[in-house]
Amino acid sequence: AARNLNVYEKCMISSHVKTTSSSTSNTAYIALSISKTSQASSIVNVIDPSVSLSQLKETTFAPEGIFSRIVGGICAGQGDIFARNPKISRTQARFFFDKSAVHVLLVPSIGSLKVIVHQALRPRGMLRMVEDTVAQVLHECYRGLSSTTLLPYSDEYLFVLEKIVVAHRTQRPIFACRESVPYTKLQSLYGVWLPVLGMLDAYDV
């Protein structure tokens, strides 16, 4: 079982997971963890789509050098369409496109990448670009690791994006954090991250 975080740890981690209206609308996390066959040890619970900060701290792992490989992968795959040169340091990188920008930060305390998308009409596409790069790096260099995309819900909990997409497609509520969360609230919180293909009554032609 995951131990409780002390006050200092909780404050340090919570500083990265703020759930103001602006942060939830353009921020996601990609958590890295060691792949295991036991569902009990997995970061993703079969029933509850929420993940606590304590659980993240206990189950995630970001090995030395993985951030550099991911940043290199983004540069190699997207460099031809950069609007200007990216700004890169050891723990964060900013990538600039024609009408949007992506800020990727390493958050080692919870073994995750924090992805912030700026000014994009549909941030989901930018997030998918980072997700695909992470998946490629894990496949090529870290076969024992897997990734899970999370969305901030409160100062202590995040939701698994995959579970939110299922609730969105089925228009059903989810039960998380000891409460029933209607899919309309999920749409309001995470609409920019949700797919629209096949979900609208009409489309522009």
Side-chain angles (χ1 to χ4, degrees):
R3 65 177 177 83
N4 293 327
L5 300 176
N6 62 42
V7 175
Y8 174 76
E9 289 176 322
K10 196 169 185 179
C11 289
M12 288 295 292
I13 297 174
S14 294
S15 67
H16 290 286
V17 186
K18 292 297 183 182
T19 54
T20 61
S21 58
S22 59
S23 68
T24 47
S25 65
N26 68 347
T27 302
Y29 295 81
I30 301 177
L32 308 172
S33 58
I34 297 175
S35 303
K36 295 183 179 180
T37 56
S38 171
Q39 292 179 339
S41 60
S42 173
I43 190 176
V44 180
N45 187 291
V46 175
I47 300 176
D48 191 342
S50 64
V51 179
S52 68
L53 293 180
S54 297
Q55 185 181 358
L56 276 180
K57 184 174 176 62
E58 293 295 326
T59 59
T60 56
F61 173 62
E64 188 75 23
I66 191 171
F67 183 74
S68 298
R69 291 182 182 274
I70 292 170
V71 170
I74 294 174
C75 290
Q78 308 296 324
D80 290 342
I81 59 174
F82 286 161
R84 56 190 173 98
N85 291 336
K87 295 183 178 180
I88 301 172
S89 70
R90 292 182 59 198
T91 59
Q92 57 182 301
R94 290 179 182 268
F95 304 99
F96 304 96
F97 300 89
D98 184 26
K99 296 181 179 180
S100 61
V102 179
H103 190 187
V104 183
L105 303 89
L106 177 65
V107 189
S109 55
I110 52 173
S112 303
L113 300 176
K114 182 177 183 178
V115 181
I116 307 172
V117 181
H118 301 281
Q119 301 176 334
L121 182 62
R122 294 295 299 176
R124 176 177 168 82
M126 293 295 180
L127 176 61
R128 287 294 299 271
M129 178 267 293
V130 180
E131 287 177 320
D132 290 345
T133 303
V134 170
Q136 181 178 355
V137 169
L138 296 186
H139 176 74
E140 293 177 354
C141 308
Y142 303 92
R143 293 292 184 95
L145 296 184
S146 60
S147 62
T148 304
T149 301
L150 307 168
L151 303 176
Y153 178 68
S154 69
D155 288 344
E156 294 188 13
Y157 288 93
L158 302 95
F159 284 172
V160 178
L161 174 57
E162 182 182 358
K163 303 283 188 179
I164 302 303
V165 170
V166 172
H168 170 64
R169 291 190 182 280
T170 59
Q171 298 187 356
R172 294 180 178 178
I174 62 171
F175 187 80
C177 306
R178 300 180 180 180
E179 64 176 343
S180 178
V181 183
Y183 85 92
T184 52
K185 181 177 181 179
L186 298 175
Q187 287 179 316
S188 175
L189 287 173
Y190 309 122
V192 297
W193 304 118
L194 299 175
V196 296
L197 187 62
M199 299 296 294
L200 302 180
D201 294 328
Y203 295 87
D204 294 331
V205 178

